[in-house]
Structure formats: C-alpha cells, structure tokens
Amino acid sequence: QVQLQESGPGLVKPSQTLSLTCTVSSGSITAINYYYAWIRQAPGKDLEWMGTIGFAGHTYIGPSLKSRISISRDTAKNQYTLQLSSVTPEDTAVYYCAETGPRPAYTLLPNGYQWWGQGTQVTVAS
C-alpha cells in the first residue's frame, strides 16, 4: 500500500513562502505513468488541485497559482516539494499530497488521485 506523508510548518506569516514536503514510502516517484499532486482544501471550500509533478519530472500547475507555485522533487529521497510564495490568509487550508496510481496522463481532478496523505493544516497569520 502506498503511503504519503506531508511535512512542513503549520504556521506561516503573510508574504512568506510556504514549503511543504511529501515523502512517498513505497514505490518510486520516477515509476512510469505515476503522477503526484498537491491539493488543498480551505475552510468551507472544495478541494483545489494546485499542481502535479509527473514521473519524468514535468510539472503541471493550476493557472490561478502559476505565478506563485513551484513543485520540485528529490528522487534520492523519494520526496517532492511544494513552494507557495507570497502567502496570504486566503492560503490557509489543509494541504494534501496525493498519487494517481498508473494512468496515461496527469489529471487536475482530485478524484483522479488514488492515494492520499493524511493532510497537514497550514495557517497563514501574523
């Protein structure tokens, strides 16, 4: 069974950069046709796909966040990382990392991700 675990600060100040890491405990993040996403859910709102990094290292970013988001990976550690710059209180949410399982292409639909981390609460406040 695939296990994903998010890690990072629970509190970030406005204008700072949020950095979260997802550690994938089984399988390789370079395995062909696997895609790894960051998805968040703000209070009272639906799940929001933020971006995905694919098995070859290509990244796909949601248009509303494109200017502020970066997704990278460390294949030696089997981890991938989210960086979200210039955060505001509106970025307060539970952040999830998730994996698709094998599929022919990435998806921006949260229900296309089969395996999820438990989520980590991030609060943006001064």
Side-chain angles (χ1 to χ4, degrees):
Q1 181 174 351
V2 177
Q3 290 186 330
L4 300 95
Q5 179 67 56
E6 306 90 351
S7 60
L11 180 64
V12 184
K13 294 183 178 180
S15 80
Q16 290 186 340
T17 295
L18 167 66
S19 183
L20 295 174
T21 295
C22 182
T23 300
V24 182
S25 64
S26 63
S28 170
I29 61 173
T30 62
I32 291 174
N33 291 347
Y34 282 71
Y35 297 85
Y36 296 86
W38 287 102
I39 297 166
R40 68 181 180 179
Q41 188 167 32
K45 296 190 176 180
D46 292 336
L47 290 167
E48 178 188 12
W49 172 77
M50 301 178 71
T52 290
I53 186 163
F55 59 94
H58 298 112
T59 56
Y60 311 87
I61 306 297
S64 64
L65 295 168
K66 197 163 190 175
S67 63
R68 299 199 292 135
I69 195 174
S70 173
I71 299 176
S72 60
R73 66 181 186 173
D74 184 333
T75 57
K77 295 181 179 179
N78 221 39
Q79 296 175 332
Y80 64 106
T81 298
L82 168 73
Q83 290 197 311
L84 181 66
S85 64
S86 304
V87 297
T88 72
E90 286 66 41
D91 293 309
T92 294
V94 178
Y95 286 73
Y96 298 93
C97 58
E99 178 194 295
T100 58
R103 59 178 293 126
Y106 89 100
T107 178
L108 50 75
L109 298 176
N111 63 12
Y113 291 84
Q114 181 177 3
W115 303 103
W116 291 64
Q118 65 183 16
T120 187
Q121 173 69 46
V122 175
T123 300
V124 180
S126 54

